[in-house]
Amino acid sequence: MPQSTQPVRRGGLAAWGMTAGIGVVAAPLVLMTHPARGSVPELVVLGLFVAAMVVSSSVALRFTVGRESFSTTAGDVPLVLALYFLPPFWVIVVKVAASLLLYGYRLIRGRHTPVQVVFNVVAHGTAAASAALLVMGLGFEPGTATEPRTWLVLLCGVMFGSAVTGTCVTAIITVLQGWGGIESVLRTMIATLLLTAVNGVLGLVILLSLTATPWAGVLIIVLVTVVISIYRGYSRLLEQRRSLTDLNDFTRKVAEATQSGRLVDVMLGRVRSLLNAESATVWVPADGRFPELLLSARLDDLGLIDTSPVPVELRDEVIRSGETLFVSDIHGEQAHREILHGSGARETIVTPLRSGQAVFGCLAVTNRLGGALLRFRTADQTLLETLTAHVGVAVENARLVDRLRFDAYHDSLTRLPNRRRSMLALEESISREVPGEFVAVLVFDVDGMREVNDSLGFAAGDELLVEVARRLRELAPDSAHIGRIGGDEFAVVFRTGATEYALELARTMRSGLQQPFLLGSLDVDVDAAVGVAIHPEHGDSADGLLQRADVATYAARNVSSGVQLFNVGLESRSVRRLGLASDLRRAFDTGELSVHYQPKIDLATRTVLGVECLARWTHPTHGEVPPEDFVPVAEHTGQLARLTEFVLRDGLKHCRDWAIQGRPLTVAVNLSPRTVSDPEFPTIVDGLLSEYGVPPEQLTLEITEDGMVGDPDRPLPTLHRLHELGVRLSVDDFGTGYSSLSYLRRLPVHEVKIDRGFVQGMATDPGDLAIVRAVVDLSRHFGLSVVAEGVESEMTLALLTEIGCDIGQGFLFSRPLSSERLDAWLNAQAEEPATASEQGEEGATVRRLRAI
């Protein structure tokens, strides 16, 4: 009768409940067979039947028909004899006793769980009771062994019992696993019934022989012995042929699995099946970026588990020695046997996985199926070693492919996903819709990398990038994707339910990056501009979304917060800038560029002290192009030096002309940090001053606060040379950076220019007023002049005059003017009648300028 090898152990309470239900159904059947009176069979007879059932049920017989393999036992043969010779009740007793002995032994050996033992005993007892009752019901009469009707009755009883067992197994599988595998179970039941019929016929033949003469038992024993010997030889031959076929199939399946990424699943399942083992295990210790791999395929589990029945001591021994270990009751060293038995395993074969001569892991099988009568043999060790050789090549190839794939999709320095992998992750994210959430992209453009490379070397720059990547991982949400998409650009992709959260996260992560990085013994500060783009509002494709986030990053450089959410205006400006790059070169030659001048006023006397020179571009197609558009274009296309010289020449030329006309005005020109770091720039300035005959003190060069103190060692030589020439130096946009006046005092500067944001807000914001007042007071203490830009109201002018600011500049006095209009404006101020003057509080005359 076939045995149940289904995974009943996973049922827990459900398995126990189903077993109890079958037992409740079987109890009345057993009581129906209990004799009210009658003789008890001899114990020797009962013992012989129990022994026959145990032996016949222990030996598995395998048959192959076409491509299907079937396994059964000869347990139905002694059942036919028992149904004929024993009363029904004692047939049940013998069957239950044999099941208790067989499955109890397997429980002791650790091959079965208690619920499996109880289920199998109850199922076989129920089957025996059903068969006995059917035989009784069909009118069986003892002593009629030669009658065909008796054959048919006994055969029906045996097959009915087999059907009951199959029904019990089907029921518990359905309860534990659902209806998914019911089809294969039904196919197995049909094949089992056919094999049961064959066993039943064999039992009837033996019955006829024994009823003819008891000495037929001797012939039967001899015949069975010969048949078993022939079968074993046939089985081994068939097994060798099947091994060759399976080895070829294994090689093909492993090759296919390597390409599909299912190597471990297929490999372990096939190894366990080929060696008829309870479990197969692969173990590869951690190596570099590859984590430890420990997975097992067990008979009763549908998937892989991350545990191993093979003790770690044996696995370590194989890795260390590079030799196969075969450990069982009769194989291996005593110490290894004790270790194996301590883990609960019966036997194991562990073989090393090799890459060339190096051992990088091991493959193991544990406990051959078939109980104590079937064990692993030396041939199994040879087969496993052959399989391991194929597996070793496949695993190493898979690791090589994985390494190549990793390198193709990850940055070699930071080990973060590269641009290609980040694009794939972004595409995957936007392809999945989650109610109430959308995908946000943050692009970080890290500033300060060039200074670190130039000052400390490229190795320090690489170390800084690694630290930036590590800090981004720490600051980003756990579910976010972080990738390096450029030299100093990083992308963060995540899901959120609010745009404000994305902006707040961008500000928080930027603030975290602004904390000092320790490189060796130095603290290094970096900054970052962050662009934010939202799907699908800002794009419906990964490429478009990342491009718009990059556009927002570019714009973020010009905002004080350093964080910019994308909008359509930014993209149009970005596309426009791209077209301006080639047009700018032509603009120098076609006269499209010009210089406008904005007056700077002495707030004490209301007289014009000088002007600031501002570049303007009138494009033939786009019209007036703002400086914030074309100045960065000039810087990125290498035309900044030419633009700076163009403004200097125009300003110095008019400065000379105004001096000849009796209007000695100073001129101020803005410089970029890159220009200030150019060691040749002071020579150019000196040459231009000599060419136009302008005294150095008439020229003021304005450098932004970040450009002046962001990296003081780089511009210092240039600043000192300009100071030695006599040129005045001014710190522009003061208050937007992180400098202090005490630090600026160490630099060769003459003037501080307060950022327009503070000046324009001082009339309504007490905080801005306090900042302006503090800057004016401290600048006066350090002997620096103070210029307030952005003066646009009378109230602001009055407050600046009251706190003692030196110079004012803004729309209240005049907008930037062309040289012709500036001349007209200056003439208008000279012609202002005395009636336009007003009396101050103490009778002093205060001039009122005419604004344009």
Side-chain angles (χ1 to χ4, degrees), residues 12-24 119 122 167-168 170-176:
L13 294 177
W16 282 109
M18 175 57 70
T19 302
I22 296 174
V24 171
F119 171 78
V122 171
T167 302
C168 294
T170 303
I172 198 167
I173 290 176
T174 303
V175 169
L176 299 181

Side-chain angles (χ1 to χ4, degrees), residues 234-243 368 377 380:
Y234 162 77
S235 178
R236 289 176 182 175
L237 180 63
L238 186 64
E239 186 174 352
Q240 291 176 358
R241 180 181 177 184
R242 185 170 57 246
S243 295
R368 182 181 174 92
R377 305 186 304 272
D380 295 318

Side-chain angles (χ1 to χ4, degrees), residues 22-196:
I22 296 174
V24 171
V25 173
L29 302 179
V30 175
L31 292 176
M32 292 173 62
T33 63
H34 191 278
R37 61 182 181 275
S39 61
V40 178
E42 296 182 6
L43 292 179
V44 175
V45 175
L46 295 178
L48 288 175
F49 274 107
V50 170
M53 289 185 178
V54 170
V55 172
S56 62
S57 298
S58 299
V59 180
L61 303 176
R62 294 178 177 84
F63 300 94
T64 301
V65 180
R67 300 182 64 87
E68 296 288 336
S69 295
F70 301 96
S71 176
T72 187
T73 66
D76 295 315
V77 173
L79 180 61
V80 172
L81 301 178
L83 289 172
Y84 182 84
F85 288 110
L86 298 178
F89 177 77
W90 294 105
V91 172
I92 301 172
V93 171
V94 167
K95 188 64 176 177
V96 170
S99 299
L100 282 173
L101 290 174
L102 177 64
Y103 295 109
Y105 173 77
R106 294 179 179 179
L107 174 65
I108 295 173
R109 298 293 296 175
R111 295 191 61 245
H112 277 34
T113 62
V115 67
Q116 283 180 304
V117 172
V118 174
F119 171 78
N120 280 296
V121 171
V122 171
H124 288 308
T126 304
S130 302
L133 285 174
L134 181 63
V135 170
M136 289 175 56
L138 293 177
F140 167 73
E141 296 180 3
T144 58
T146 58
E147 297 183 7
R149 183 177 179 280
T150 301
W151 304 346
L152 184 60
V153 169
L154 294 176
L155 193 59
C156 288
V158 172
M159 293 187 65
F160 184 65
S162 179
V164 170
T165 303
T167 302
C168 294
V169 173
T170 303
I172 198 167
I173 290 176
T174 303
V175 169
L176 299 181
Q177 300 181 0
W179 295 91
I182 192 66
E183 183 178 350
S184 63
V185 173
L186 292 176
R187 285 200 307 268
T188 303
M189 281 186 61
I190 295 174
T192 300
L193 288 174
L194 294 176
L195 293 174
T196 300

Side-chain angles (χ1 to χ4, degrees), residues 438-678:
F438 53 82
V439 177
V441 181
L442 309 182
V443 173
F444 290 78
D445 190 355
V446 181
D447 294 328
M449 295 304 306
R450 178 178 177 181
E451 289 76 8
V452 172
N453 288 333
D454 293 347
S455 303
L456 303 177
F458 289 101
D462 290 345
E463 182 181 352
L464 180 58
L465 279 174
V466 172
E467 289 301 311
V468 168
R470 180 189 60 79
R471 189 169 295 183
L472 284 174
R473 282 193 294 261
E474 294 174 351
L475 296 170
D478 293 338
S479 59
H481 170 92
I482 303 101
R484 184 186 179 194
I485 59 175
D488 49 10
E489 286 189 336
F490 298 84
V492 179
V493 180
F494 60 97
R495 289 189 176 275
T496 180
T499 302
E500 185 54 41
Y501 171 79
L503 293 173
E504 182 60 30
L505 178 63
R507 288 188 284 266
T508 300
M509 295 182 69
R510 177 175 180 265
S511 177
L513 286 180
Q514 289 173 335
Q515 302 302 313
F517 290 87
L518 182 62
L519 296 183
S521 60
L522 297 177
D523 283 337
V524 178
D525 294 324
V526 300
D527 198 357
V530 189
V532 183
I534 303 298
H535 173 270
E537 180 180 348
H538 300 148
D540 56 3
S541 68
D543 186 68
L545 205 60
L546 196 61
Q547 183 263 333
R548 287 168 175 82
D550 194 58
V551 169
T553 304
Y554 188 89
R557 294 179 175 275
N558 300 318
V559 296
S560 58
S561 65
V563 176
Q564 176 66 56
L565 179 66
F566 175 81
N567 60 70
V568 178
L570 297 178
E571 185 172 43
S572 60
R573 179 174 296 179
S574 176
V575 174
R576 185 184 179 191
R577 283 176 178 168
L578 187 62
L580 293 177
S582 60
D583 296 342
L584 183 59
R585 292 185 176 88
R586 187 194 67 250
F588 285 104
D589 303 323
T590 59
E592 297 173 13
L593 288 173
S594 61
V595 179
H596 284 202
Y597 303 90
Q598 186 173 32
K600 299 170 68 175
I601 309 302
D602 186 330
L603 298 185
T605 63
R606 299 297 199 273
T607 58
V608 182
L609 293 178
V611 294
E612 180 179 2
C613 304
L614 302 168
R616 293 293 184 264
W617 183 10
T618 303
H619 194 279
T621 303
H622 302 297
E624 294 295 332
V625 182
E628 57 266 25
D629 282 356
F630 71 81
V631 171
V633 171
E635 185 169 2
H636 285 90
T637 57
Q639 303 180 76
L640 184 62
R642 186 178 181 185
L643 180 62
T644 302
E645 184 176 348
F646 173 80
V647 176
L648 275 172
R649 285 185 175 277
D650 197 278
L652 292 176
K653 173 180 175 297
H654 284 90
C655 180
R656 178 194 62 190
D657 295 343
W658 290 326
I660 294 174
Q661 297 170 11
R663 295 173 179 168
L665 300 179
T666 63
V667 291
V669 176
N670 290 289
L671 301 181
S672 76
R674 182 173 297 183
T675 302
V676 178
S677 300
D678 183 3

